[in-house]
Amino acid sequence: MSQQQMVEEIKGWVYEAGENIKRKLQSPLIVEEKTNKSDLVTNVDKETEAFFIDKIRHHYPDDQILGEEGLGDHVTDFSGRVWIIDPIDGTLNFVKQQDNFCTMLAVYEEGIGQMAFIYEVMRDELLWGGKGMGVYLNEQVIKDVPNITLEKGLISVNTHMFLNNTYETQTVAMKSIGVRMIGCAGIGFKELIKGNQNAYISNLQPWDYAPAKVLMEELGLKMIALNGEPLDLRQKVPILGATPAAFAEIQTRQN
Amino acid sequence: MSQQQMVEEIKGWVYEAGENIKRKLQSPLIVEEKTNKSDLVTNVDKETEAFFIDKIRHHYPDDQILGEEGLGDHVTDFSGRVWIIDPIDGTLNFVKQQDNFCTMLAVYEEGIGQMAFIYEVMRDELLWGGKGMGVYLNEQVIKDVPNITLEKGLISVNTHMFLNNTYETQTVAMKSIGVRMIGCAGIGFKELIKGNQNAYISNLQPWDYAPAKVLMEELGLKMIALNGEPLDLRQKVPILGATPAAFAEIQTRQN
């Protein structure tokens, strides 16, 4: 199967997952707390992860799967092909707003991002693409993301990092033209990739940043862990995603 | 003309304005700064205000018009019928994201809100209704907005009020389950009216809050100026909009 065929197959799964999620929003959600009152999981998170895992196991039985809800494998070694799934990214928004969430999936090989899918379900916006194949918003190719400076752009940030000025997040944000808090990593990165903001700063799990990393690398956008750790897909880290111009300014401020 | 006929006529204008705005987004915007680098106005703000004023002058020649861009009347006296227009609410989002903005309109008589329209153009979501006629999201009636407490809900706040803890905005926000900054008053109020959040706090001009005030009064939601001033549609004020439960909690904290 060619890379292009594989992408088309996965796009089909993502759209099908989106339809299932929308249908399930018609019934009451079963909501549980995970680590605290704002860290939620629903039946739809779990069912969506199970849906993707079922597809992957059927078509790619030898691959490893890292899923947010833990229904995949306990991945410690990123050799071979690894699928990374965030079934509902922005579960708090999903529960409280029935909107402003994404379903996301990335495929890595030997630790290197190959293809990725960020689907904002309620807007029907699918950002997809991969290494050497370009990046698309639905059927439209994204080229030459505007290299927005800190001063000229909107920025999305994590509330706590902003409040506590962790890694100068507040200082950097207040140099921007406006601060946004959306509560969904997929949307934060999507706005950056669409050329609508200069940076996105948040504390993120691998499944929150892995899909965007693939697309951003393909487009020449920057992503690093602010604590100086490598992005090895093994742990939660403070992430900066930015245009090259904003990245250079933020690095200067932090050093 | 009955109130119902008048509402249907205005809905037609609002949808037409939305179509015009979407079409104009296909061409480069002409952007100017107003009071500072994040206070912008575009040709589309002005053209949309002119569009509404033209409709109102033609159909209701005796009425006064208060518009954000100043193309209407210099309204100091709210006797008789006054139309209040925010042609593009969230102009910074409009310019930087081509999304997350509203076009809004309210009709007041003798200072009392009669009907209002908050249209989030890119989502095609029209919130409309008025005194004694109920509130609708597109064609669906909104009844019994859930009375979300501070602890159980998302909150939308103004960045500067959050950062400086003006009127305890930060304290209140951090009691909520999550903080959102969207940069559009219409959307902040829309989320409250849809039952997706507990409160919205921001510094607002009359055209930013007048439409929501009409709809919130009809639904039993609360709106006050945090500086203790009456909401007389004459000046910019710090506004709190909230569910009754969150309103009571916030008032307790501030006293």
Side-chain angles (χ1 to χ4, degrees), chain A residues 204-223:
Chain A
L204 298 175
Q205 296 279 8
W207 42 83
D208 295 318
Y209 71 78
K213 185 166 186 285
V214 180
L215 305 178
M216 288 171 62
E217 279 171 356
E218 177 71 3
L219 290 166
L221 295 163
K222 301 287 185 182
M223 185 190 286

Side-chain angles (χ1 to χ4, degrees), chain B residues 101-145:
Chain B
F101 61 88
C102 294
T103 186
M104 309 200 293
L105 195 151
V107 182
Y108 279 66
E109 282 180 26
E110 312 302 338
I112 296 169
Q114 301 299 319
M115 42 186 96
F117 306 82
I118 298 176
Y119 184 37
E120 190 184 343
V121 174
M122 303 309 283
R123 286 187 187 261
D124 194 24
E125 282 193 359
L126 176 61
L127 206 57
W128 61 279
K131 194 174 166 60
M133 73 175 86
V135 176
Y136 295 80
L137 178 65
N138 296 334
E139 296 314 312
Q140 180 146 21
V141 68
I142 293 178
K143 283 195 173 163
D144 305 322
V145 180

Side-chain angles (χ1 to χ4, degrees), chain B residues 2-251:
Chain B
S2 72
Q3 189 191 36
Q4 196 54 46
Q5 286 171 318
M6 191 171 165
V7 161
E8 289 303 321
E9 180 182 49
I10 301 171
K11 278 170 66 177
W13 302 348
V14 171
Y15 283 126
E16 191 178 341
E19 284 307 308
N20 293 342
I21 292 167
K22 276 192 240 184
R23 199 183 59 247
K24 288 173 186 184
L25 273 175
Q26 306 304 313
S27 307
L29 299 173
I30 303 162
V31 182
E32 296 167 72
E33 288 184 13
K34 297 202 302 192
T35 58
N36 61 64
K37 71 168 185 170
S38 62
D39 184 19
L40 305 179
V41 62
T42 75
N43 57 307
V44 183
D45 296 72
K46 293 175 189 173
E47 289 160 18
T48 303
E49 182 158 313
F51 166 85
F52 282 125
I53 290 175
D54 187 59
K55 295 286 188 193
I56 298 163
R57 294 278 189 236
H58 183 76
H59 292 83
Y60 304 94
D62 299 331
D63 294 2
Q64 291 192 94
I65 305 173
L66 171 64
E68 176 177 16
E69 308 312 338
L71 306 180
D73 303 306
H74 180 64
V75 179
T76 53
D77 169 7
F78 284 81
S79 61
R81 189 156 55 197
V82 180
W83 299 66
I84 303 177
I85 304 168
D86 193 341
I88 306 275
D89 170 53
T91 300
L92 187 53
N93 289 347
F94 179 69
V95 171
K96 299 291 176 183
Q97 307 178 320
Q98 295 84 54
D99 205 341
N100 301 311
F101 61 88
C102 294
T103 186
M104 309 200 293
L105 195 151
V107 182
Y108 279 66
E109 282 180 26
E110 312 302 338
I112 296 169
Q114 301 299 319
M115 42 186 96
F117 306 82
I118 298 176
Y119 184 37
E120 190 184 343
V121 174
M122 303 309 283
R123 286 187 187 261
D124 194 24
E125 282 193 359
L126 176 61
L127 206 57
W128 61 279
K131 194 174 166 60
M133 73 175 86
V135 176
Y136 295 80
L137 178 65
N138 296 334
E139 296 314 312
Q140 180 146 21
V141 68
I142 293 178
K143 283 195 173 163
D144 305 322
V145 180
N147 191 12
I148 307 170
T149 60
L150 208 50
E151 289 71 17
K152 293 279 186 190
L154 295 172
I155 190 168
S156 282
V157 296
N158 169 282
T159 304
H160 294 273
M161 292 176 75
F162 178 75
L163 193 59
N164 301 316
N165 202 20
T166 320
Y167 299 107
E168 301 286 333
T169 297
Q170 187 187 108
T171 314
V172 162
M174 296 312 288
K175 291 281 172 192
S176 298
I177 204 167
V179 181
R180 300 291 176 261
M181 296 183 186
I182 308 299
C184 173
I187 296 177
F189 287 123
K190 183 155 66 71
E191 291 299 295
L192 183 58
I193 291 168
K194 286 169 73 176
N196 295 347
Q197 69 191 28
N198 54 29
Y200 174 54
I201 301 176
S202 191
N203 266 312
L204 298 174
Q205 296 279 7
W207 42 82
D208 295 317
Y209 71 77
K213 185 167 186 287
V214 180
L215 305 179
M216 287 171 63
E217 280 171 354
E218 177 70 4
L219 291 166
L221 295 164
K222 302 287 184 183
M223 186 189 286
I224 58 159
L226 286 165
N227 61 2
E229 298 286 319
L231 289 177
D232 69 359
L233 303 170
R234 283 181 178 80
Q235 57 195 329
K236 189 172 186 176
V237 279
I239 291 275
L240 164 65
T243 63
F247 184 79
E249 291 173 77
I250 295 168
Q251 291 287 86

Side-chain angles (χ1 to χ4, degrees), chain A residues 30-63:
Chain A
I30 303 162
V31 182
E32 295 166 72
E33 287 184 13
K34 296 197 310 189
T35 59
N36 61 64
K37 73 169 184 170
S38 61
D39 183 18
L40 305 179
V41 63
T42 74
N43 58 308
V44 183
D45 297 72
K46 293 175 189 173
E47 288 159 17
T48 304
E49 183 158 312
F51 166 85
F52 282 125
I53 290 176
D54 186 58
K55 295 286 188 193
I56 298 163
R57 294 276 189 238
H58 183 75
H59 292 83
Y60 305 93
D62 299 331
D63 294 2

Side-chain angles (χ1 to χ4, degrees), chain A:
Chain A
M1 182 181 281
S2 73
Q3 189 192 37
Q4 195 54 48
Q5 286 171 317
M6 191 171 163
V7 162
E8 290 304 321
E9 180 182 49
I10 301 170
K11 278 169 68 177
W13 302 349
V14 171
Y15 283 125
E16 193 179 338
E19 284 308 308
N20 292 343
I21 292 167
K22 276 193 240 184
R23 199 184 58 249
K24 288 174 185 182
L25 273 175
Q26 306 304 314
S27 307
L29 298 173
I30 303 162
V31 182
E32 295 166 72
E33 287 184 13
K34 296 197 310 189
T35 59
N36 61 64
K37 73 169 184 170
S38 61
D39 183 18
L40 305 179
V41 63
T42 74
N43 58 308
V44 183
D45 297 72
K46 293 175 189 173
E47 288 159 17
T48 304
E49 183 158 312
F51 166 85
F52 282 125
I53 290 176
D54 186 58
K55 295 286 188 193
I56 298 163
R57 294 276 189 238
H58 183 75
H59 292 83
Y60 305 93
D62 299 331
D63 294 2
Q64 292 192 93
I65 306 172
L66 172 64
E68 177 177 16
E69 308 312 340
L71 306 179
D73 303 306
H74 180 64
V75 180
T76 53
D77 169 7
F78 282 81
S79 61
R81 189 157 56 198
V82 180
W83 298 67
I84 302 176
I85 304 168
D86 193 342
I88 306 276
D89 170 53
T91 300
L92 187 54
N93 288 347
F94 179 69
V95 171
K96 299 291 178 182
Q97 307 179 320
Q98 295 83 54
D99 205 341
N100 301 310
F101 60 89
C102 295
T103 185
M104 309 201 292
L105 195 150
V107 182
Y108 278 66
E109 281 178 27
E110 312 301 338
I112 297 169
Q114 301 299 320
M115 44 186 94
F117 307 82
I118 298 176
Y119 184 39
E120 190 184 342
V121 174
M122 303 310 282
R123 286 187 188 261
D124 194 23
E125 282 193 1
L126 176 60
L127 206 56
W128 61 279
K131 194 173 166 59
M133 72 174 86
V135 176
Y136 295 79
L137 180 65
N138 296 333
E139 296 313 311
Q140 181 147 20
V141 68
I142 293 179
K143 283 194 174 164
D144 305 323
V145 180
N147 191 11
I148 308 170
T149 60
L150 209 50
E151 289 70 19
K152 294 280 187 189
L154 296 172
I155 190 168
S156 282
V157 296
N158 168 282
T159 304
H160 294 272
M161 292 175 74
F162 179 75
L163 194 58
N164 300 317
N165 202 21
T166 320
Y167 298 107
E168 300 286 333
T169 298
Q170 187 187 107
T171 316
V172 162
M174 296 312 288
K175 291 283 172 189
S176 298
I177 205 168
V179 181
R180 301 290 177 261
M181 295 182 186
I182 308 299
C184 173
I187 296 176
F189 287 123
K190 182 154 68 71
E191 291 299 295
L192 183 59
I193 292 168
K194 286 170 72 176
N196 295 347
Q197 69 191 28
N198 53 28
Y200 173 55
I201 300 176
S202 190
N203 265 313
L204 298 175
Q205 296 279 8
W207 42 83
D208 295 318
Y209 71 78
K213 185 166 186 285
V214 180
L215 305 178
M216 288 171 62
E217 279 171 356
E218 177 71 3
L219 290 166
L221 295 163
K222 301 287 185 182
M223 185 190 286
I224 58 159
L226 286 165
N227 61 3
E229 298 286 321
L231 289 177
D232 68 359
L233 304 171
R234 283 183 179 79
Q235 57 195 328
K236 190 171 185 177
V237 279
I239 291 276
L240 163 66
T243 63
F247 183 80
E249 291 174 78
I250 295 168
Q251 291 287 87
T252 304
R253 282 179 190 283
Q254 288 174 330
N255 294 328

